[in-house]
Amino acid sequence: MLTCDVAVVGIGGVGSAAVAHLAKAGASVIGLDRFSPPHTHGSSHGQTRVIRMAYFEHPDYVPLLRQAYRNWHDLEQTTGKQLYFPTGVLQIGPESGEVIAGTLRSAQEHQLAIECYAYEDIPREFPGVVSPEGCVGILEKDAGYLLVADCIQAYLDQATQHGATIKTNCPVQSWSRVGDTFELQTDSEVIQAKQLIVCGGAWAKQLVADLNVPMTILRKHLYWYENDASAYTREASFPVFLIETTQGIYYGFPQFDSQGVKLARHDGGEPIAAAEQLSSSEDAADRQAVENFTARHLPLLSKKLVHREACMYTVTPDHHFLVGTHPEHPGLHFAAGLSGHGFKFASALGEILSDLAITGQTTSPIGFLSIRRFS
Ligand SMILES: Cc1cc2nc3c(=O)[nH]c(=O)nc-3n(C[C@H](O)[C@H](O)[C@H](O)COP(=O)(O)OP(=O)(O)OC[C@H]3O[C@@H](n4cnc5c(N)ncnc54)[C@H](O)[C@@H]3O)c2cc1C
């Protein structure tokens, strides 16, 4: 039987960061994944992820974002690879809407630098953008995107360099608590660990079903369109953008390579019963909604679709994460239900889970993400 201090089940976005932080701290760690991360079967693929600090979802995330920015920066320093691209993030919406009101609240509570634009200023400041009628804009300059696969690979490389054992294409079939330890059953062996970290993404429903918090898996789509305009490029300093319209919230990235401009719809999504049911087939209604959005608000963009991918959100009832220690198993720590906005936090969540496993506590303010809010 293989033994270790900490086993990490799922080494995608969060788990890759957890194994690296654990290994750097000197723990003997085994990271296991049913696929070979970075891969395209879960929630951490599709080239890029938005990162921003003035967080419209809730101001309580801001301290965790400071930790996340710091840790991504450290990872860049130690690997010598650029992972974060500070293009700025432009958010547009009604003044009293979820996005603008929430962003202003976070910026004010945490004294974050933002620039505000009236409806009339938007086309002048951001050529090629047609704002929804009467909406306003906020630009956060220290925000942008992360290269999602490179981040995971960088953390896995760092974990290996610090002595972690990585087992890929190795699904954990079950885990059980045996006294003060955990036993994990894979297809070929049993692994015994003093502490267990579960970061199963869309498989959390199976892996930590006994948390008893309903999580909905949504199939989501990403689209890349050809860009023959000089607008919408990173070269032309076009930012990442997120626009709240009466037909939903859409976001996208400036073009930086031959694949074009990536776009997606943030709200909506098709519920699926289990992660295994993720299919890459097209959702015609979703694509039409995205193309209606671009025709209205990014009119210079070509209508030629060059690439498409499907991915999964794992959504909790209040769209906030579940992070902490299992109420019935003190040695089991988890990050689950990241609700379609978790990747930017992976570098912080990995460190938090590592601290919980090694010391039983964390100084990071994660109380608002506790599952106790559902009991
Ligand atoms: C289309 C889309 C756009 C998004 N955009 C953003 C964004 O702009 N910004 C942002 O911050 N977030 C964004 N998100 C959300 C973010 O990507 C996710 O919250 C985050 O990547 C989830 O990380 P994870 O580690 O929980 O899951 P994953 O990265 O999917 O990792 C889970 C891992 O667990 C493994 N696993 C599962 N079961 C087992 C088992 N039994 N045994 C072994 N291994 C197992 C899986 O193979 C997988 O590798 C987006 C998500 C999607 C789908």
Side-chain angles (χ1 to χ4, degrees):
M1 188 189 298
L2 258 183
T3 60
C4 60
D5 292 336
V6 190
V8 179
V9 180
I11 48 171
V14 179
S16 60
V19 282
H21 282 285
L22 286 159
K24 275 195 298 176
S28 81
V29 52
I30 301 179
L32 304 108
D33 203 284
R34 65 189 314 133
F35 300 110
S36 182
H39 60 75
T40 58
H41 310 290
S43 303
S44 300
H45 57 276
Q47 202 175 32
T48 46
R49 289 294 183 268
V50 185
I51 179 164
R52 54 196 156 80
M53 182 92 82
Y55 215 56
F56 73 78
E57 289 85 344
H58 202 283
D60 286 355
Y61 284 98
V62 174
L64 301 181
L65 284 159
R66 290 193 200 282
Q67 184 178 357
Y69 270 71
R70 205 164 49 238
N71 288 353
W72 290 125
H73 178 71
D74 287 351
L75 186 61
E76 286 184 319
Q77 295 295 303
T78 50
T79 59
K81 277 193 171 174
Q82 186 172 5
L83 304 167
Y84 165 52
F85 291 78
T87 57
V89 173
L90 171 67
Q91 303 192 76
I92 296 177
E95 238 163 318
S96 57
E98 180 186 359
V99 171
I100 295 295
T103 304
L104 282 173
R105 183 178 165 209
S106 272
Q108 278 156 5
E109 276 190 30
H110 293 278
Q111 289 91 45
L112 302 172
I114 51 167
E115 289 174 8
C116 299
Y117 297 94
Y119 172 69
E120 302 71 41
D121 298 337
I122 293 171
R124 190 184 60 242
E125 296 290 334
F126 306 99
V129 176
V130 176
S131 167
E133 194 64 32
C135 286
V136 298
I138 295 178
L139 178 71
E140 183 176 16
K141 283 190 172 156
D142 189 9
Y145 66 84
L146 296 158
L147 291 178
V148 60
D150 288 3
C151 289
I152 293 174
Q153 192 60 61
Y155 265 137
L156 291 179
D157 290 347
Q158 196 175 65
T160 313
Q161 280 156 19
H162 285 85
T165 301
I166 300 295
K167 289 180 170 278
T168 55
N169 302 308
C170 183
V172 172
Q173 301 299 357
S174 61
W175 61 265
S176 56
R177 189 161 150 208
V178 181
D180 284 343
T181 65
F182 293 90
E183 285 188 8
L184 279 58
Q185 180 69 57
T186 73
D187 289 339
S188 57
E189 64 192 335
V190 174
I191 295 173
Q192 189 183 60
K194 291 180 196 148
Q195 299 276 311
L196 175 59
I197 291 178
V198 176
C199 316
W203 286 265
K205 281 176 83 159
Q206 290 115 281
L207 285 165
V208 279
D210 60 350
L211 289 178
N212 288 322
V213 178
M215 289 181 251
T216 307
I217 304 176
L218 297 176
R219 191 167 80 107
K220 303 289 296 178
H221 302 269
L222 297 164
Y223 306 91
W224 285 257
Y225 290 90
E226 196 172 79
N227 181 25
D228 44 21
S230 59
Y232 318 131
T233 66
R234 192 176 71 192
E235 225 175 18
S237 300
F238 195 72
V240 167
F241 54 93
L242 189 141
I243 304 183
E244 181 175 0
T245 74
T246 49
Q247 283 89 34
I249 298 177
Y250 297 82
Y251 64 96
F253 299 78
Q255 174 176 13
F256 59 89
D257 67 8
S258 57
Q259 207 157 255
V261 171
K262 178 182 144 185
L263 284 156
R265 182 173 181 172
H266 181 51
D267 61 323
E270 173 201 344
I272 56 175
E276 288 76 8
Q277 290 176 12
L278 176 66
S279 107
S280 59
S281 64
E282 184 172 301
D283 178 335
D286 187 81
R287 178 172 167 187
Q288 189 59 56
V290 168
E291 293 184 0
N292 291 343
F293 165 81
T294 51
R296 278 191 206 111
H297 303 295
L298 305 171
L300 306 180
L301 192 65
S302 152
K303 290 175 178 49
K304 188 169 172 209
L305 182 71
V306 285
H307 184 61
R308 189 174 58 73
E309 289 187 25
C311 190
M312 290 176 282
Y313 283 7
T314 308
V315 181
T316 65
D318 61 5
H319 293 250
H320 295 300
F321 311 160
L322 305 173
V323 182
T325 296
H326 196 293
E328 278 140 42
H329 307 297
L332 193 167
H333 318 282
F334 56 85
L338 301 187
S339 303
H341 59 112
F343 189 82
K344 63 182 82 60
F345 295 89
S347 60
L349 294 176
E351 185 178 30
I352 290 165
L353 292 169
S354 165
D355 288 345
L356 288 174
I358 294 173
T359 68
Q361 53 194 358
T362 172
T363 52
S364 301
I366 56 166
F368 74 109
L369 303 175
S370 163
I371 63 158
R372 273 187 236 113
R373 70 187 188 273
F374 293 110
S375 57

